[in-house]
Amino acid sequence: MKPINDGHVAKPGLAVVEVAAADDETAFAIQELLATRWAITPADRTTHEPGEPGVRLRCYLDMQQQPEA
């Protein structure tokens, strides 16, 4: 995954969330759950590191904004 830059966490309420899950379905379900509560920039794919279990997903969260309906 790319490094987290200063802009992703430049002010209170911004967060980078990294999910480690057994499979894509689980990772995207967690992302969907986050999106019901906060505005997020969703990931469109997961990554898998060779030799490591499961998949990873990163999304960007803004706790100051309401999620889109």
Side-chain angles (χ1 to χ4, degrees):
M1 291 190 156
K2 294 180 182 178
I4 298 168
N5 70 44
D6 291 341
H8 294 138
V9 293
K11 62 182 182 177
L14 297 180
V16 178
V17 178
E18 291 187 350
V19 176
D23 56 32
D24 288 355
E25 184 178 305
T26 304
F28 286 117
I30 296 297
Q31 178 176 260
E32 204 172 300
L33 182 65
L34 292 170
T36 65
R37 178 134 187 201
W38 298 292
I40 67 167
T41 303
D44 57 357
R45 63 183 175 87
T46 61
T47 59
H48 172 74
E49 294 293 326
E52 291 188 15
V55 297
R56 297 197 184 281
L57 174 142
R58 181 186 287 175
C59 60
Y60 303 92
L61 174 70
D62 186 342
M63 296 172 61
Q64 305 302 315
Q65 293 185 31
Q66 296 295 315
E68 292 184 16

Short mmCIF file of all heavy atoms in Angstrom, two decimals:
data_model
loop_
_atom_site.label_atom_id
_atom_site.label_comp_id
_atom_site.label_asym_id
_atom_site.label_seq_id
_atom_site.Cartn_x
_atom_site.Cartn_y
_atom_site.Cartn_z
N MET A 1 0.84 -1.18 0.00
CA MET A 1 0.00 0.00 0.00
C MET A 1 0.89 1.24 0.00
O MET A 1 1.98 1.23 0.55
CB MET A 1 -0.90 0.02 1.21
CG MET A 1 -1.98 -1.02 1.21
SD MET A 1 -3.15 -0.73 2.54
CE MET A 1 -4.54 -1.56 1.84
N LYS A 2 0.35 2.29 -0.57
CA LYS A 2 1.08 3.55 -0.59
C LYS A 2 1.16 4.12 0.83
O LYS A 2 0.28 3.86 1.65
CB LYS A 2 0.37 4.56 -1.49
CG LYS A 2 0.37 4.16 -2.95
CD LYS A 2 -0.35 5.22 -3.77
CE LYS A 2 -0.41 4.82 -5.23
NZ LYS A 2 -1.13 5.79 -6.04
N PRO A 3 2.17 4.92 1.09
CA PRO A 3 2.27 5.54 2.41
C PRO A 3 1.12 6.52 2.65
O PRO A 3 0.57 7.09 1.71
CB PRO A 3 3.59 6.31 2.36
CG PRO A 3 4.33 5.80 1.17
CD PRO A 3 3.31 5.23 0.24
N ILE A 4 0.78 6.72 3.90
CA ILE A 4 -0.22 7.71 4.29
C ILE A 4 0.47 9.07 4.26
O ILE A 4 1.55 9.23 4.79
CB ILE A 4 -0.75 7.40 5.70
CG1 ILE A 4 -1.44 6.04 5.70
CG2 ILE A 4 -1.69 8.50 6.18
CD1 ILE A 4 -1.75 5.50 7.07
N ASN A 5 -0.17 10.06 3.61
CA ASN A 5 0.46 11.38 3.57
C ASN A 5 -0.22 12.33 4.55
O ASN A 5 -1.30 12.05 5.07
CB ASN A 5 0.51 11.94 2.15
CG ASN A 5 -0.84 12.32 1.59
OD1 ASN A 5 -1.65 12.94 2.28
ND2 ASN A 5 -1.09 11.96 0.35
N ASP A 6 0.42 13.47 4.80
CA ASP A 6 -0.08 14.45 5.77
C ASP A 6 -1.51 14.90 5.49
O ASP A 6 -2.28 15.15 6.41
CB ASP A 6 0.84 15.67 5.82
CG ASP A 6 2.20 15.36 6.41
OD1 ASP A 6 2.32 14.32 7.09
OD2 ASP A 6 3.14 16.14 6.18
N GLY A 7 -1.87 15.02 4.23
CA GLY A 7 -3.21 15.48 3.87
C GLY A 7 -4.31 14.55 4.34
O GLY A 7 -5.43 14.98 4.60
N HIS A 8 -4.00 13.26 4.45
CA HIS A 8 -5.02 12.30 4.87
C HIS A 8 -5.41 12.47 6.33
O HIS A 8 -6.49 12.05 6.74
CB HIS A 8 -4.50 10.87 4.67
CG HIS A 8 -4.30 10.51 3.24
ND1 HIS A 8 -3.21 9.80 2.80
CD2 HIS A 8 -5.03 10.79 2.13
CE1 HIS A 8 -3.29 9.64 1.50
NE2 HIS A 8 -4.37 10.23 1.06
N VAL A 9 -4.55 13.07 7.13
CA VAL A 9 -4.81 13.26 8.56
C VAL A 9 -4.47 14.68 8.99
O VAL A 9 -4.03 14.92 10.11
CB VAL A 9 -4.03 12.22 9.41
CG1 VAL A 9 -4.57 10.82 9.17
CG2 VAL A 9 -2.54 12.25 9.11
N ALA A 10 -4.74 15.64 8.12
CA ALA A 10 -4.31 17.02 8.33
C ALA A 10 -5.07 17.75 9.44
O ALA A 10 -4.59 18.75 9.96
CB ALA A 10 -4.44 17.81 7.03
N LYS A 11 -6.26 17.28 9.80
CA LYS A 11 -7.02 17.96 10.84
C LYS A 11 -7.81 16.93 11.65
O LYS A 11 -8.02 15.80 11.19
CB LYS A 11 -7.95 19.01 10.23
CG LYS A 11 -8.99 18.44 9.29
CD LYS A 11 -9.84 19.53 8.68
CE LYS A 11 -10.89 18.89 7.78
NZ LYS A 11 -11.80 19.85 7.21
N PRO A 12 -8.25 17.32 12.84
CA PRO A 12 -9.05 16.39 13.65
C PRO A 12 -10.29 15.93 12.88
O PRO A 12 -10.91 16.70 12.15
CB PRO A 12 -9.45 17.22 14.87
CG PRO A 12 -8.37 18.25 14.97
CD PRO A 12 -8.01 18.58 13.54
N GLY A 13 -10.62 14.68 13.03
CA GLY A 13 -11.79 14.12 12.36
C GLY A 13 -11.46 13.36 11.09
O GLY A 13 -12.30 12.64 10.56
N LEU A 14 -10.23 13.52 10.57
CA LEU A 14 -9.81 12.76 9.39
C LEU A 14 -9.05 11.53 9.86
O LEU A 14 -8.26 11.61 10.80
CB LEU A 14 -8.92 13.60 8.48
CG LEU A 14 -9.53 14.83 7.86
CD1 LEU A 14 -8.50 15.54 6.98
CD2 LEU A 14 -10.78 14.49 7.06
N ALA A 15 -9.28 10.41 9.19
CA ALA A 15 -8.60 9.18 9.58
C ALA A 15 -8.38 8.29 8.36
O ALA A 15 -9.11 8.37 7.38
CB ALA A 15 -9.42 8.42 10.62
N VAL A 16 -7.37 7.48 8.45
CA VAL A 16 -7.12 6.44 7.46
C VAL A 16 -7.42 5.13 8.18
O VAL A 16 -6.90 4.86 9.25
CB VAL A 16 -5.65 6.46 6.98
CG1 VAL A 16 -5.40 5.33 6.00
CG2 VAL A 16 -5.32 7.81 6.36
N VAL A 17 -8.30 4.32 7.57
CA VAL A 17 -8.69 3.05 8.17
C VAL A 17 -8.16 1.92 7.30
O VAL A 17 -8.46 1.88 6.10
CB VAL A 17 -10.22 2.95 8.30
CG1 VAL A 17 -10.62 1.61 8.89
CG2 VAL A 17 -10.77 4.10 9.14
N GLU A 18 -7.38 1.06 7.89
CA GLU A 18 -6.89 -0.11 7.17
C GLU A 18 -7.56 -1.34 7.77
O GLU A 18 -7.54 -1.53 8.99
CB GLU A 18 -5.37 -0.22 7.27
CG GLU A 18 -4.68 0.87 6.49
CD GLU A 18 -3.18 0.70 6.42
OE1 GLU A 18 -2.61 -0.15 7.12
OE2 GLU A 18 -2.57 1.45 5.66
N VAL A 19 -8.16 -2.13 6.90
CA VAL A 19 -8.88 -3.33 7.32
C VAL A 19 -8.08 -4.54 6.85
O VAL A 19 -7.70 -4.62 5.69
CB VAL A 19 -10.29 -3.36 6.68
CG1 VAL A 19 -11.01 -4.65 7.02
CG2 VAL A 19 -11.10 -2.14 7.11
N ALA A 20 -7.87 -5.47 7.74
CA ALA A 20 -7.30 -6.77 7.39
C ALA A 20 -8.41 -7.78 7.58
O ALA A 20 -9.06 -7.82 8.63
CB ALA A 20 -6.11 -7.10 8.28
N ALA A 21 -8.68 -8.57 6.55
CA ALA A 21 -9.79 -9.52 6.61
C ALA A 21 -9.41 -10.81 5.88
O ALA A 21 -8.47 -10.84 5.08
CB ALA A 21 -11.03 -8.91 5.98
N ALA A 22 -10.20 -11.84 6.12
CA ALA A 22 -9.94 -13.14 5.50
C ALA A 22 -10.20 -13.11 4.00
O ALA A 22 -9.54 -13.82 3.25
CB ALA A 22 -10.80 -14.21 6.15
N ASP A 23 -11.16 -12.28 3.56
CA ASP A 23 -11.54 -12.28 2.15
C ASP A 23 -12.09 -10.92 1.74
O ASP A 23 -12.36 -10.06 2.59
CB ASP A 23 -12.56 -13.38 1.85
CG ASP A 23 -13.80 -13.30 2.73
OD1 ASP A 23 -14.20 -12.19 3.11
OD2 ASP A 23 -14.37 -14.36 3.04
N ASP A 24 -12.25 -10.73 0.43
CA ASP A 24 -12.77 -9.47 -0.10
C ASP A 24 -14.15 -9.14 0.46
O ASP A 24 -14.43 -8.00 0.82
CB ASP A 24 -12.87 -9.52 -1.63
CG ASP A 24 -11.52 -9.47 -2.32
OD1 ASP A 24 -10.49 -9.31 -1.65
OD2 ASP A 24 -11.50 -9.60 -3.56
N GLU A 25 -15.02 -10.13 0.50
CA GLU A 25 -16.39 -9.91 0.96
C GLU A 25 -16.42 -9.31 2.36
O GLU A 25 -17.16 -8.36 2.64
CB GLU A 25 -17.17 -11.23 0.93
CG GLU A 25 -18.62 -11.09 1.30
CD GLU A 25 -19.36 -12.41 1.20
OE1 GLU A 25 -19.31 -13.04 0.13
OE2 GLU A 25 -19.97 -12.80 2.21
N THR A 26 -15.62 -9.83 3.25
CA THR A 26 -15.57 -9.32 4.62
C THR A 26 -14.99 -7.91 4.66
O THR A 26 -15.52 -7.03 5.34
CB THR A 26 -14.73 -10.26 5.51
OG1 THR A 26 -15.28 -11.58 5.44
CG2 THR A 26 -14.69 -9.78 6.94
N ALA A 27 -13.93 -7.66 3.92
CA ALA A 27 -13.30 -6.33 3.91
C ALA A 27 -14.28 -5.28 3.39
O ALA A 27 -14.41 -4.20 3.98
CB ALA A 27 -12.04 -6.35 3.04
N PHE A 28 -15.00 -5.58 2.31
CA PHE A 28 -15.95 -4.62 1.76
C PHE A 28 -17.17 -4.45 2.67
O PHE A 28 -17.75 -3.36 2.73
CB PHE A 28 -16.36 -5.00 0.35
CG PHE A 28 -15.29 -4.72 -0.66
CD1 PHE A 28 -14.70 -5.75 -1.38
CD2 PHE A 28 -14.83 -3.43 -0.89
CE1 PHE A 28 -13.70 -5.51 -2.30
CE2 PHE A 28 -13.83 -3.17 -1.80
CZ PHE A 28 -13.26 -4.21 -2.51
N ALA A 29 -17.55 -5.48 3.41
CA ALA A 29 -18.65 -5.35 4.37
C ALA A 29 -18.28 -4.38 5.49
O ALA A 29 -19.11 -3.56 5.92
CB ALA A 29 -19.02 -6.71 4.94
N ILE A 30 -17.03 -4.44 5.95
CA ILE A 30 -16.57 -3.50 6.97
C ILE A 30 -16.58 -2.07 6.42
O ILE A 30 -17.03 -1.13 7.08
CB ILE A 30 -15.16 -3.87 7.47
CG1 ILE A 30 -15.17 -5.23 8.16
CG2 ILE A 30 -14.57 -2.79 8.37
CD1 ILE A 30 -16.03 -5.30 9.40
N GLN A 31 -16.09 -1.90 5.20
CA GLN A 31 -16.10 -0.58 4.58
C GLN A 31 -17.53 -0.05 4.47
O GLN A 31 -17.79 1.13 4.75
CB GLN A 31 -15.45 -0.66 3.19
CG GLN A 31 -15.47 0.67 2.46
CD GLN A 31 -14.74 0.58 1.14
OE1 GLN A 31 -13.61 1.02 1.08
NE2 GLN A 31 -15.36 0.04 0.11
N GLU A 32 -18.46 -0.89 4.07
CA GLU A 32 -19.86 -0.49 3.94
C GLU A 32 -20.43 -0.07 5.30
O GLU A 32 -21.17 0.90 5.41
CB GLU A 32 -20.65 -1.67 3.38
CG GLU A 32 -21.91 -1.26 2.67
CD GLU A 32 -22.54 -2.46 1.97
OE1 GLU A 32 -21.88 -3.05 1.09
OE2 GLU A 32 -23.68 -2.79 2.32
N LEU A 33 -20.07 -0.80 6.34
CA LEU A 33 -20.50 -0.46 7.69
C LEU A 33 -19.99 0.92 8.10
O LEU A 33 -20.74 1.74 8.65
CB LEU A 33 -20.02 -1.52 8.67
CG LEU A 33 -20.42 -1.36 10.13
CD1 LEU A 33 -21.92 -1.48 10.27
CD2 LEU A 33 -19.72 -2.40 10.97
N LEU A 34 -18.73 1.22 7.83
CA LEU A 34 -18.17 2.54 8.13
C LEU A 34 -18.91 3.63 7.36
O LEU A 34 -19.17 4.72 7.89
CB LEU A 34 -16.68 2.58 7.79
CG LEU A 34 -15.76 1.74 8.66
CD1 LEU A 34 -14.37 1.67 8.05
CD2 LEU A 34 -15.71 2.27 10.07
N ALA A 35 -19.27 3.35 6.12
CA ALA A 35 -19.93 4.34 5.27
C ALA A 35 -21.34 4.68 5.74
O ALA A 35 -21.88 5.72 5.37
CB ALA A 35 -19.97 3.84 3.83
N THR A 36 -21.95 3.84 6.57
CA THR A 36 -23.27 4.17 7.10
C THR A 36 -23.21 5.23 8.18
O THR A 36 -24.20 5.87 8.48
CB THR A 36 -23.99 2.93 7.67
OG1 THR A 36 -23.26 2.45 8.81
CG2 THR A 36 -24.16 1.85 6.62
N ARG A 37 -22.04 5.42 8.74
CA ARG A 37 -21.89 6.35 9.85
C ARG A 37 -21.12 7.62 9.50
O ARG A 37 -21.40 8.69 10.02
CB ARG A 37 -21.19 5.63 11.00
CG ARG A 37 -20.92 6.50 12.17
CD ARG A 37 -21.28 5.88 13.43
NE ARG A 37 -21.15 6.86 14.49
CZ ARG A 37 -21.00 6.56 15.74
NH1 ARG A 37 -20.98 5.31 16.10
NH2 ARG A 37 -20.89 7.50 16.64
N TRP A 38 -20.11 7.50 8.64
CA TRP A 38 -19.26 8.63 8.30
C TRP A 38 -19.06 8.73 6.80
O TRP A 38 -19.23 7.76 6.07
CB TRP A 38 -17.89 8.49 8.96
CG TRP A 38 -17.92 8.48 10.44
CD1 TRP A 38 -18.26 9.52 11.25
CD2 TRP A 38 -17.61 7.39 11.30
NE1 TRP A 38 -18.17 9.13 12.57
CE2 TRP A 38 -17.78 7.83 12.63
CE3 TRP A 38 -17.21 6.07 11.09
CZ2 TRP A 38 -17.56 7.02 13.73
CZ3 TRP A 38 -17.00 5.25 12.18
CH2 TRP A 38 -17.17 5.73 13.48
N ALA A 39 -18.65 9.90 6.35
CA ALA A 39 -18.29 10.08 4.95
C ALA A 39 -16.94 9.41 4.73
O ALA A 39 -16.01 9.61 5.51
CB ALA A 39 -18.21 11.56 4.60
N ILE A 40 -16.85 8.59 3.68
CA ILE A 40 -15.59 7.92 3.39
C ILE A 40 -15.26 8.06 1.91
O ILE A 40 -16.14 8.29 1.08
CB ILE A 40 -15.59 6.43 3.77
CG1 ILE A 40 -16.55 5.62 2.89
CG2 ILE A 40 -15.90 6.22 5.23
CD1 ILE A 40 -16.37 4.13 3.01
N THR A 41 -13.99 7.93 1.62
CA THR A 41 -13.54 7.73 0.25
C THR A 41 -13.28 6.23 0.17
O THR A 41 -12.31 5.73 0.74
CB THR A 41 -12.25 8.52 -0.04
OG1 THR A 41 -12.49 9.90 0.22
CG2 THR A 41 -11.81 8.33 -1.48
N PRO A 42 -14.17 5.50 -0.48
CA PRO A 42 -14.07 4.04 -0.46
C PRO A 42 -12.97 3.50 -1.35
O PRO A 42 -12.58 4.12 -2.34
CB PRO A 42 -15.44 3.59 -0.96
CG PRO A 42 -15.90 4.71 -1.83
CD PRO A 42 -15.34 5.97 -1.23
N ALA A 43 -12.50 2.33 -0.99
CA ALA A 43 -11.56 1.59 -1.83
C ALA A 43 -12.37 0.78 -2.83
O ALA A 43 -13.48 0.33 -2.53
CB ALA A 43 -10.72 0.66 -0.96
N ASP A 44 -11.83 0.56 -4.01
CA ASP A 44 -12.54 -0.23 -5.00
C ASP A 44 -11.93 -1.62 -5.17
O ASP A 44 -12.45 -2.45 -5.91
CB ASP A 44 -12.62 0.48 -6.34
CG ASP A 44 -11.25 0.86 -6.90
OD1 ASP A 44 -10.24 0.61 -6.22
OD2 ASP A 44 -11.21 1.40 -8.01
N ARG A 45 -10.84 -1.87 -4.42
CA ARG A 45 -10.22 -3.20 -4.49
C ARG A 45 -9.43 -3.44 -3.21
O ARG A 45 -9.09 -2.51 -2.48
CB ARG A 45 -9.31 -3.34 -5.70
CG ARG A 45 -8.12 -2.40 -5.70
CD ARG A 45 -7.29 -2.54 -6.97
NE ARG A 45 -6.24 -1.56 -6.99
CZ ARG A 45 -5.04 -1.73 -6.43
NH1 ARG A 45 -4.74 -2.85 -5.83
NH2 ARG A 45 -4.14 -0.78 -6.48
N THR A 46 -9.15 -4.69 -2.97
CA THR A 46 -8.31 -5.07 -1.84
C THR A 46 -6.92 -5.41 -2.37
O THR A 46 -6.72 -5.52 -3.58
CB THR A 46 -8.88 -6.30 -1.11
OG1 THR A 46 -8.92 -7.40 -2.01
CG2 THR A 46 -10.27 -6.02 -0.55
N THR A 47 -5.98 -5.56 -1.46
CA THR A 47 -4.64 -5.99 -1.84
C THR A 47 -4.30 -7.24 -1.04
O THR A 47 -4.85 -7.49 0.03
CB THR A 47 -3.57 -4.92 -1.57
OG1 THR A 47 -3.58 -4.60 -0.17
CG2 THR A 47 -3.84 -3.66 -2.37
N HIS A 48 -3.39 -8.03 -1.59
CA HIS A 48 -2.91 -9.23 -0.90
C HIS A 48 -1.39 -9.24 -0.99
O HIS A 48 -0.83 -9.13 -2.08
CB HIS A 48 -3.46 -10.50 -1.55
CG HIS A 48 -2.84 -11.74 -0.98
ND1 HIS A 48 -3.16 -12.22 0.27
CD2 HIS A 48 -1.90 -12.56 -1.47
CE1 HIS A 48 -2.44 -13.30 0.49
NE2 HIS A 48 -1.66 -13.53 -0.54
N GLU A 49 -0.75 -9.31 0.15
CA GLU A 49 0.70 -9.40 0.21
C GLU A 49 1.10 -10.87 0.20
O GLU A 49 0.64 -11.63 1.07
CB GLU A 49 1.24 -8.72 1.47
CG GLU A 49 1.02 -7.23 1.52
CD GLU A 49 1.84 -6.48 0.48
OE1 GLU A 49 2.96 -6.91 0.16
OE2 GLU A 49 1.34 -5.46 -0.01
N PRO A 50 1.92 -11.29 -0.75
CA PRO A 50 2.36 -12.69 -0.77
C PRO A 50 2.98 -13.10 0.56
O PRO A 50 3.74 -12.35 1.17
CB PRO A 50 3.40 -12.71 -1.89
CG PRO A 50 3.03 -11.56 -2.77
CD PRO A 50 2.50 -10.51 -1.84
N GLY A 51 2.59 -14.26 1.03
CA GLY A 51 3.13 -14.77 2.28
C GLY A 51 2.37 -14.31 3.51
O GLY A 51 2.63 -14.78 4.62
N GLU A 52 1.43 -13.35 3.36
CA GLU A 52 0.63 -12.89 4.49
C GLU A 52 -0.80 -13.39 4.31
O GLU A 52 -1.29 -13.52 3.19
CB GLU A 52 0.63 -11.36 4.56
CG GLU A 52 1.98 -10.79 4.95
CD GLU A 52 1.92 -9.29 5.20
OE1 GLU A 52 0.81 -8.74 5.36
OE2 GLU A 52 2.99 -8.68 5.21
N PRO A 53 -1.48 -13.67 5.42
CA PRO A 53 -2.85 -14.17 5.32
C PRO A 53 -3.85 -13.08 4.93
O PRO A 53 -3.65 -11.91 5.22
CB PRO A 53 -3.14 -14.68 6.73
CG PRO A 53 -2.27 -13.85 7.62
CD PRO A 53 -1.02 -13.57 6.81
N GLY A 54 -4.92 -13.47 4.25
CA GLY A 54 -6.03 -12.58 3.97
C GLY A 54 -5.73 -11.44 3.01
O GLY A 54 -4.78 -11.48 2.25
N VAL A 55 -6.60 -10.44 3.08
CA VAL A 55 -6.50 -9.27 2.22
C VAL A 55 -6.52 -8.00 3.07
O VAL A 55 -6.90 -8.04 4.24
CB VAL A 55 -7.67 -9.22 1.20
CG1 VAL A 55 -7.63 -10.41 0.27
CG2 VAL A 55 -9.02 -9.13 1.90
N ARG A 56 -6.14 -6.90 2.45
CA ARG A 56 -6.17 -5.60 3.14
C ARG A 56 -6.92 -4.59 2.27
O ARG A 56 -6.90 -4.67 1.04
CB ARG A 56 -4.75 -5.11 3.40
CG ARG A 56 -4.00 -6.04 4.31
CD ARG A 56 -2.79 -5.39 4.91
NE ARG A 56 -2.02 -6.33 5.71
CZ ARG A 56 -2.33 -6.70 6.94
NH1 ARG A 56 -3.38 -6.22 7.52
NH2 ARG A 56 -1.57 -7.57 7.59
N LEU A 57 -7.54 -3.65 2.95
CA LEU A 57 -8.30 -2.60 2.28
C LEU A 57 -8.06 -1.31 3.06
O LEU A 57 -8.00 -1.33 4.29
CB LEU A 57 -9.79 -2.97 2.31
CG LEU A 57 -10.78 -1.94 1.79
CD1 LEU A 57 -11.87 -2.67 1.02
CD2 LEU A 57 -11.38 -1.16 2.92
N ARG A 58 -7.88 -0.21 2.36
CA ARG A 58 -7.67 1.09 3.01
C ARG A 58 -8.73 2.06 2.51
O ARG A 58 -8.92 2.21 1.31
CB ARG A 58 -6.29 1.64 2.70
CG ARG A 58 -6.04 2.98 3.37
CD ARG A 58 -4.73 3.59 2.96
NE ARG A 58 -3.61 2.88 3.58
CZ ARG A 58 -2.33 3.14 3.31
NH1 ARG A 58 -2.02 4.07 2.43
NH2 ARG A 58 -1.39 2.47 3.90
N CYS A 59 -9.39 2.74 3.44
CA CYS A 59 -10.32 3.80 3.06
C CYS A 59 -10.04 5.03 3.92
O CYS A 59 -9.39 4.94 4.96
CB CYS A 59 -11.78 3.35 3.16
SG CYS A 59 -12.32 2.83 4.78
N TYR A 60 -10.52 6.16 3.45
CA TYR A 60 -10.26 7.43 4.11
C TYR A 60 -11.57 7.95 4.68
O TYR A 60 -12.58 7.99 4.00
CB TYR A 60 -9.65 8.42 3.11
CG TYR A 60 -8.39 7.86 2.52
CD1 TYR A 60 -8.42 7.14 1.33
CD2 TYR A 60 -7.18 7.98 3.18
CE1 TYR A 60 -7.27 6.59 0.80
CE2 TYR A 60 -6.02 7.42 2.65
CZ TYR A 60 -6.07 6.73 1.47
OH TYR A 60 -4.94 6.17 0.96
N LEU A 61 -11.56 8.35 5.93
CA LEU A 61 -12.74 8.65 6.70
C LEU A 61 -12.73 10.11 7.14
O LEU A 61 -11.70 10.62 7.55
CB LEU A 61 -12.71 7.72 7.92
CG LEU A 61 -13.70 7.83 9.03
CD1 LEU A 61 -15.06 7.37 8.54
CD2 LEU A 61 -13.24 6.94 10.17
N ASP A 62 -13.89 10.76 7.04
CA ASP A 62 -14.05 12.14 7.51
C ASP A 62 -15.20 12.15 8.49
O ASP A 62 -16.38 12.09 8.10
CB ASP A 62 -14.31 13.10 6.36
CG ASP A 62 -14.34 14.55 6.81
OD1 ASP A 62 -14.49 14.81 8.01
OD2 ASP A 62 -14.23 15.42 5.92
N MET A 63 -14.90 12.22 9.78
CA MET A 63 -15.92 12.16 10.81
C MET A 63 -16.73 13.46 10.91
O MET A 63 -17.76 13.49 11.57
CB MET A 63 -15.27 11.84 12.16
CG MET A 63 -14.63 10.48 12.19
SD MET A 63 -13.65 10.15 13.67
CE MET A 63 -14.89 10.29 14.94
N GLN A 64 -16.28 14.52 10.24
CA GLN A 64 -16.98 15.81 10.30
C GLN A 64 -18.11 15.90 9.28
O GLN A 64 -18.92 16.79 9.36
CB GLN A 64 -15.98 16.95 10.08
CG GLN A 64 -14.81 16.95 11.03
CD GLN A 64 -15.22 17.01 12.51
OE1 GLN A 64 -16.08 17.80 12.87
NE2 GLN A 64 -14.65 16.15 13.31
N GLN A 65 -18.13 15.00 8.31
CA GLN A 65 -19.16 15.03 7.27
C GLN A 65 -20.12 13.87 7.45
O GLN A 65 -19.72 12.78 7.89
CB GLN A 65 -18.52 14.92 5.88
CG GLN A 65 -17.70 16.11 5.51
CD GLN A 65 -17.20 15.99 4.07
OE1 GLN A 65 -17.85 15.39 3.23
NE2 GLN A 65 -16.04 16.54 3.80
N GLN A 66 -21.36 14.09 7.06
CA GLN A 66 -22.36 13.04 7.09
C GLN A 66 -22.19 12.17 5.85
O GLN A 66 -21.77 12.66 4.80
CB GLN A 66 -23.77 13.65 7.10
CG GLN A 66 -24.06 14.45 8.34
CD GLN A 66 -24.07 13.58 9.59
OE1 GLN A 66 -24.63 12.50 9.60
NE2 GLN A 66 -23.38 14.03 10.62
N PRO A 67 -22.50 10.89 5.95
CA PRO A 67 -22.41 10.04 4.76
C PRO A 67 -23.44 10.46 3.71
O PRO A 67 -24.49 11.02 4.06
CB PRO A 67 -22.71 8.64 5.29
CG PRO A 67 -23.39 8.84 6.61
CD PRO A 67 -22.95 10.17 7.12
N GLU A 68 -23.11 10.20 2.45
CA GLU A 68 -24.07 10.49 1.38
C GLU A 68 -25.19 9.48 1.44
O GLU A 68 -24.96 8.30 1.69
CB GLU A 68 -23.37 10.45 0.03
CG GLU A 68 -22.37 11.57 -0.15
CD GLU A 68 -21.75 11.57 -1.54
OE1 GLU A 68 -22.29 10.91 -2.44
OE2 GLU A 68 -20.73 12.24 -1.69
N ALA A 69 -26.39 9.94 1.18
CA ALA A 69 -27.55 9.04 1.23
C ALA A 69 -27.68 8.22 -0.03
O ALA A 69 -27.17 8.44 -1.03
CB ALA A 69 -28.82 9.86 1.44
#
